[in-house]
Amino acid sequence: MTGNADEPFITAVKPLVDAMGGEMLPPDEAGADDVVLAWEGVDVVAVRLPQLADSLDHILAAMERKRGKPLADLDRKAKQEVVRILEARGAFSVRHGVETVAGALGVSRFTVYNYLNREKES
């Protein structure tokens, strides 16, 4: 994708791009909605950001990997923590966000709303 001089920059931004569920590509392949990153005045890499719904799926998968098991296998307190983290990250502003999260947690939409309301009351 780039020369050796750019490798430290790409290595540095790759974890962030991966965490967002983005894709790195050569700057000359960037589309209108991609973000081109420059290093020392030279375009080095373009980042294609995911659609919001894809991003939520990516976040849920990352949370499962971090915990080492499916989110549905977590206890109630851990599921409440997941909902709290997802709310802080804007997961419930995505269309069908509550349904997607409920499915991943193995609970009903009603339960997710209860977890959200519990947070607001405390």
Side-chain angles (χ1 to χ4, degrees), residues 6-104:
D6 301 328
E7 282 304 315
F9 179 78
I10 291 172
T11 300
V13 299
K14 186 173 182 349
L16 177 61
V17 173
D18 290 347
M20 295 183 314
E23 175 187 354
M24 297 173 76
L25 51 143
D28 60 347
E29 293 180 19
D33 294 331
D34 297 333
V35 178
V36 177
L37 303 177
W39 180 251
E40 297 180 347
V42 178
D43 290 345
V44 175
V45 65
V47 178
R48 181 159 296 151
L49 300 172
Q51 298 296 317
L52 283 176
D54 295 338
S55 189
L56 178 55
D57 289 337
H58 184 79
I59 291 167
L60 290 167
M63 293 178 98
E64 283 191 344
R65 280 192 306 276
K66 184 176 182 181
R67 285 164 176 75
K69 61 181 169 181
L71 297 178
D73 293 347
L74 299 175
D75 64 24
R76 183 177 52 84
K77 186 174 180 177
K79 288 179 182 182
Q80 289 171 336
E81 175 67 17
V82 166
V83 168
R84 187 170 34 257
I85 291 166
L86 292 171
E87 182 180 30
R89 294 185 73 178
F92 301 110
S93 63
V94 176
R95 187 169 191 222
H96 302 297
V98 171
E99 292 85 349
T100 301
V101 171

